[in-house]
Amino acid sequence: MNTEATHQPADPIALTDALGSFDALWSPRIVTRVNDYDVRVAKVAGEHIWHVHADTDEFFQVIDGELTIGLREEGGERSVVLPAGSVFVVPRGTEHRPSSAHGASILLFEPTGTSTVGDRHDPVPAHVDATTGHQL
Ligand code: NI
């Protein structure tokens, strides 16, 4: 578990300011924490990798742009498309691959320490940051 900065910021945070403070793609920043969960924001474009979180669900909210999430389920593979303002939860144990053809800003809510590439994943290319989140 990451024990750095387990506090919450003392003042409100504008998500637009948070998103404006960095440029890296697929490299989430931790905005605040709720009990043992992180609230993270990320900028994304292009494809992430197929990966799975064995022990946790993963919450996505699209702030700007459009996100597609590929899902490999028992019945086969499908994609869900999330326009701005949409939320979706990838259930634990479901292999998934986020992507965004034209770019998006997203908010993630997941247990502190959750890796962006999950517990099992395809080889990690240079454009994907394998991280448990960076401080703003
Ligand atoms: Ni994931």
Side-chain angles (χ1 to χ4, degrees):
M1 165 136 356
N2 180 1
T3 54
E4 297 170 32
T6 53
H7 61 285
Q8 287 109 3
D11 294 307
I13 299 159
L15 293 180
T16 48
D17 291 346
L19 286 160
S21 70
F22 65 98
D23 292 320
L25 299 175
W26 301 115
S27 185
R29 299 302 192 265
I30 299 167
V31 175
T32 188
R33 293 205 163 98
V34 183
N35 296 315
D36 51 356
Y37 273 62
D38 290 346
V39 177
R40 305 178 187 173
V41 292
K43 292 176 174 175
V44 304
E47 288 191 343
H48 200 261
I49 56 171
W50 287 104
H51 66 279
V52 62
H53 308 278
D55 299 319
T56 183
D57 302 338
E58 187 167 44
F59 172 95
F60 292 82
Q61 177 174 353
V62 177
I63 297 168
D64 190 35
E66 185 177 272
L67 184 74
T68 298
I69 305 177
L71 300 165
R72 288 176 174 160
E73 298 170 325
E74 280 190 21
E77 194 171 308
R78 68 177 177 124
S79 292
V80 292
V81 177
L82 285 71
S86 300
V87 300
F88 185 76
V89 175
V90 175
R92 69 191 65 192
T94 299
E95 202 173 357
H96 57 286
R97 180 181 62 183
S99 65
S100 178
H102 303 293
S105 297
I106 64 174
L107 182 146
L108 300 142
F109 187 62
E110 54 199 337
T112 298
T114 300
S115 168
T116 51
V117 297
D119 312 299
R120 266 191 300 116
H121 53 80
D122 282 350
V124 180
H127 75 277
V128 169
D129 185 11
T131 179
T132 55
H134 302 280
Q135 297 304 313
L136 265 180

